[in-house]
Amino acid sequence: MSAPSSTSTVPSAGAPGGRRRLARGALAAAAIAYVALLLLLPLIGIVVRAFEPGLSIVGDTLSRPEVTHAFLLTAIITLITIVVTTFFGLVVAWVLVRQRFIGRSFLNAVVDLPFALSPVTVGLAAVLLFGTGGWLTDFFMARGIQVLFALPSMILVTTFICIPFTIREVVPVLEEFGLDEEDAARTLGASIWQTFRMVTLPNIRWALLYGIALTTARAIGEIGAVLIVSGTIAGLTETATIYIFTALEERLVAQAHVVALVLALTSILVLVAIEWLHRRNEKARSNA
Amino acid sequence: MSMPIKVEGLTKHFGSFEAVQDVTFTAAAGSITALLGPSGSGKSTVLRMIAGLEQPTAGRIWMGDDELTAKSVQERAVGFVFQHYALFRHMNVADNVAFGLRVRKEEKASRDARVKELLELVQMTHFAHRYPDQLSGGQRQRIALARALAPRPRVLLLDEPFGALDAKVRQDLRRWLDELHRELGVTSLLVTHDQEEALELANQVVVMHEGRVEQAGAPADVYNDPATAFVAGFVGAANVLHGHVVHGHVHLGTFQVPGADHLEEGAAVAAYVRPHDVRVTEEETGVRGRIERMATLGWLARLSIKLSGGETLVAHVPHDELGGAKEGDEVWVDLRSPKAFGIESDSAGSAASADPVNGQGVTSPVA
């Protein structure tokens, strides 16, 4: 009776256990190698290349007016994208989880469309809508609003591409959270807004923050769609990523790498900051 | 302060599913009314409609002279206790209890005083700074009750409040709730599938089945004088015997019992007999049977008796009434106060059968 259990609970006993341990070790090594090669190596490469001509290149690059303008543009696009995707992401996630209606599964599928589409396609679609002879061109032209080759279309395509992140982070947490606590809040006299602010939001805030972090990283790094709709007008519609693209074409390799490094560090910083906040929060709670 | 609750013709359809059908009852001010029924009987839906968490398809709800039917959840000012506690998991115990006062913008000083008062009432003062996931199920439900009572609700609605707890904690909390209710006197509606809980706590029991009220009355009336076959089978354990009406008697296979004057001649009937209404005697009355099994439940013996006609009955008999009868002995069996109900199909009528249903409640005679 006890014989079969002894081999399975004590892996070090006998040859099968040793082999299993070896296999497990090899798997872990493969995972580490994979992550290191694909994630860390390119990052190290950027750092090395950026600093190759000496530290002064960093200051030089970051003080160029077209670089500061590019960063400013990326910051504006990213901030507006975060505000829009957070607000509508919450609304769509709430509707998907709490409401039952015809077309719900259609909405659920459509939300993921930006994941499936190439950003270049998204950019082309925007040109189709707002370019010469586009469906919406006349409408905006008549009102004196330049959409294509200007900030509005760049914000529009970036927002479109970032739609799924917040929704996909929030939906499962909202589903798991259930209705009981919201019902309880209402019976205790809380209005819908109070219920959302005091009960629902605190429970989905980490999912929301992760969604925002992913949105930030994606918006900062977006190039394909933006490149197509921006018209790459230097000093005017050039974002940080487009700057890298054009700098490389003009053989300003070091400058390109410095800008790339700043972008990468920003994204990593956002992710680390949120992770750190989350840990600190958990710790504060368990110490109570 | 305490208010009666009245519901009239309450109906709820979910699509084509009729969850609640024409439910009417009144819960007297300061009383406990139990809504008793199996799962899916619509009792929780009735409670949620009274709270305003569901909108009735038809029917009206009053609290005293105040009609609630069209009012929002917030305006109704009811206390609601959920089966799975529904405590705010990101708030500590004190903040949970204070929630209803905070949303009403009560001053912090009076809020703190009320929280303290309630934590004393539910004997959880030392747990004020704990989080819900650091508490046991019983403790959580006490906090949930304190939270519901904090804004001084006009009525208290409890949806299977002890359903997720184990038996021992359930017993303790039930007694504690009884004492608390005597102290506070707030009109309470208790949804439960546990008939023992309903009979012990409630002043009035409303038995529900498939969305309808089967019977509403005092616990003793529902238990001793069931209005329908369903109530007879659901409230308290019962043996069921099938037979026919002949000259106002119920013929049940090998023997007959009185009490079928209200039924048509020849109708198929089901007769319900409680295990403690099965008497084992030495006098030659009733019907002959053989003790197949005997188990001791403290001062009671639980017998399985096979009647000469082939039916098996469960009997609960005090040991001193057994007169030394043992497993395998032939005895005389007499049935006290059987309750006969007409049943629609007579397919099962001719072959008399018996099966003890719902042993809950009589299996532990010490309780």
Side-chain angles (χ1 to χ4, degrees):
Chain A
M1 280 301 262
S2 63
S5 67
S6 70
T7 51
S8 62
T9 53
V10 189
S12 60
R19 215 179 301 143
R20 207 174 303 143
R21 215 168 23 171
L22 201 71
R24 224 177 281 157
L27 213 57
I32 290 168
Y34 174 77
V35 171
L37 274 174
L38 282 170
L39 291 179
L40 290 179
L41 209 58
L43 206 63
I44 292 167
I46 292 174
V47 175
V48 171
R49 291 303 287 277
F51 290 109
E52 228 169 29
L55 274 176
S56 61
I57 187 72
V58 179
D60 287 352
T61 308
L62 296 183
S63 57
R64 279 165 167 252
E66 70 266 31
V67 172
T68 49
H69 186 267
F71 276 127
L72 182 69
L73 210 56
T74 295
I76 291 170
I77 294 173
T78 304
L79 276 177
I80 295 177
T81 300
I82 288 171
V83 171
V84 173
T85 57
T86 301
F87 178 75
F88 286 103
L90 276 176
V91 172
V92 173
W94 193 87
V95 165
L96 278 177
V97 175
R98 295 284 189 259
Q99 313 264 69
R100 290 292 170 268
F101 54 93
I102 298 162
R104 181 177 163 273
S105 52
F106 174 74
L107 179 65
N108 195 21
V110 160
V111 160
D112 287 332
L113 203 61
F115 279 158
L117 284 177
S118 158
V120 177
T121 317
V122 176
L124 282 175
V127 171
L128 202 72
L129 288 178
F130 302 106
T132 322
W135 297 342
L136 300 174
T137 314
D138 293 345
F139 178 84
F140 285 103
M141 285 302 261
R143 281 153 189 79
I145 303 168
Q146 175 68 32
V147 178
L148 206 64
F149 311 130
L151 198 56
S153 65
M154 297 163 79
I155 293 169
L156 201 69
V157 291
T158 309
T159 304
F160 178 86
I161 284 162
C162 291
I163 283 171
F165 293 108
T166 305
I167 298 171
R168 286 294 162 237
E169 287 290 324
V170 170
V171 160
V173 178
L174 210 52
E175 253 163 12
E176 198 265 338
F177 179 57
L179 282 171
D180 268 12
E181 289 180 39
E182 288 174 8
D183 280 351
R186 287 161 66 213
T187 62
L188 289 164
S191 66
I192 289 175
W193 170 240
Q194 282 174 319
T195 303
F196 176 76
R197 194 168 49 84
M198 296 165 81
V199 177
T200 315
L201 192 60
N203 280 287
I204 59 170
R205 67 184 155 175
W206 293 112
L208 195 61
L209 280 177
Y210 279 121
I212 290 172
L214 292 173
T215 302
T216 308
R218 187 71 184 80
I220 287 176
E222 171 51 31
I223 179 158
V226 174
L227 191 63
I228 289 179
V229 299
S230 73
T232 49
I233 308 165
L236 211 57
T237 63
E238 222 174 40
T239 62
T241 47
I242 294 176
Y243 175 82
I244 296 169
F245 180 75
T246 50
L248 281 175
E249 281 192 327
E250 292 161 19
R251 303 200 173 275
L252 299 169
V253 177
Q255 282 86 344
H257 278 99
V258 169
V259 173
L261 186 64
V262 172
L263 291 186
L265 286 181
T266 310
S267 296
I268 292 170
L269 213 69
V270 169
L271 286 171
V272 169
I274 283 176
E275 187 61 35
W276 178 74
L277 278 174
H278 194 180
R279 290 243 175 114
R280 203 184 59 159
N281 180 267
E282 295 278 291
K283 220 166 141 190
R285 240 194 113 214
S286 59
N287 287 343
Chain B
M1 186 65 216
S2 196
M3 295 266 187
I5 303 169
K6 199 168 106 188
V7 303
E8 206 177 85
L10 211 54
T11 298
K12 176 71 180 177
H13 295 175
F14 293 104
S16 62
F17 174 62
E18 298 170 352
V20 174
Q21 278 294 314
D22 195 20
V23 166
T24 299
F25 66 86
T26 302
S31 70
I32 298 187
T33 295
L35 293 176
L36 174 67
S39 58
S41 58
K43 56 194 191 302
S44 283
T45 308
V46 169
L47 202 71
R48 291 176 64 85
M49 285 193 280
I50 294 170
L53 294 170
E54 303 280 358
Q55 289 310 307
T57 308
R60 300 170 78 179
I61 303 160
W62 285 271
M63 200 186 295
D65 296 327
D66 180 14
E67 180 164 1
L68 299 182
T69 320
K71 288 196 171 171
S72 72
V73 188
Q74 292 87 351
E75 288 172 307
R76 296 188 191 198
V78 298
F80 202 102
V81 175
F82 295 78
Q83 177 175 6
H84 298 288
Y85 330 119
L87 291 176
F88 305 127
R89 59 190 91 170
H90 63 290
M91 294 183 200
N92 66 23
V93 163
D95 289 342
N96 262 283
V97 177
F99 186 89
L101 308 171
R102 234 172 88 209
V103 299
R104 283 175 176 75
K105 309 263 191 284
E106 258 201 54
E107 299 260 328
K108 183 157 169 32
S110 75
R111 221 161 66 193
D112 290 349
R114 180 77 176 147
V115 169
K116 189 164 169 286
E117 184 188 331
L118 276 155
L119 288 183
E120 273 163 23
L121 183 73
V122 300
Q123 296 147 27
M124 291 288 288
T125 312
H126 300 301
F127 296 88
H129 298 292
R130 296 275 192 95
Y131 281 86
D133 59 6
Q134 296 164 329
L135 303 176
S136 72
Q139 290 171 333
R140 284 185 215 188
Q141 203 52 300
R142 272 149 63 188
I143 296 303
L145 195 67
R147 181 180 68 176
L149 290 170
R152 299 189 170 81
R154 295 183 289 178
V155 300
L156 188 59
L157 308 175
L158 304 127
D159 190 3
E160 299 262 13
F162 313 133
L165 302 168
D166 58 49
K168 172 77 177 93
V169 180
R170 220 147 87 186
Q171 291 268 342
D172 291 347
L173 271 190
R174 194 191 294 169
R175 254 161 231 159
W176 174 81
L177 181 68
D178 191 32
E179 282 169 27
L180 195 73
H181 180 260
R182 279 165 205 273
E183 201 178 315
L184 300 174
V186 58
T187 313
S188 303
L189 274 182
L190 168 76
V191 159
T192 179
H193 64 269
D194 182 343
Q195 36 113 357
E196 206 184 322
E197 201 168 285
L199 296 178
E200 191 179 320
L201 280 176
N203 308 99
Q204 181 188 214
V205 177
V206 177
V207 185
M208 289 192 63
H209 177 49
E210 291 178 348
R212 292 174 189 277
V213 173
E214 292 272 331
Q215 185 174 6
D221 294 341
V222 171
Y223 185 83
N224 294 322
D225 198 9
T228 66
F230 175 80
V231 176
F234 189 75
V235 182
N239 295 291
V240 189
L241 297 162
H242 291 280
H244 284 92
V245 178
V246 180
H247 306 306
H249 290 271
V250 185
H251 280 240
L252 299 158
T254 51
F255 59 105
Q256 55 182 11
V257 292
D261 296 327
H262 58 296
L263 296 171
E264 266 178 55
E265 183 77 7
V269 291
Y272 290 77
V273 184
R274 306 229 179 264
H276 57 79
D277 285 328
V278 179
R279 279 206 307 165
V280 173
T281 69
E282 285 162 18
E283 299 154 42
E284 295 194 7
T285 57
V287 67
R288 200 85 173 127
R290 203 169 73 89
I291 301 176
E292 296 239 290
R293 291 191 66 82
M294 185 188 296
T296 291
L297 313 169
W299 58 278
L300 271 181
R302 177 191 161 95
L303 309 177
S304 242
I305 301 171
K306 188 156 191 147
L307 302 182
S308 50
E311 315 90 336
T312 305
L313 287 179
V314 171
H316 290 178
V317 185
H319 282 295
D320 54 7
E321 282 180 25
L322 269 175
K326 308 181 297 294
E327 244 177 52
D329 283 2
E330 293 280 332
V331 289
W332 287 97
V333 176
D334 189 22
L335 306 179
R336 271 183 300 210
S337 55
K339 300 284 181 299
F341 299 97
I343 50 176
E344 272 161 32
S345 143
D346 78 344
S347 57
S350 53
S353 67
D355 54 336
V357 290
N358 198 1
Q360 199 183 21
V362 282
T363 52
S364 59
V366 283

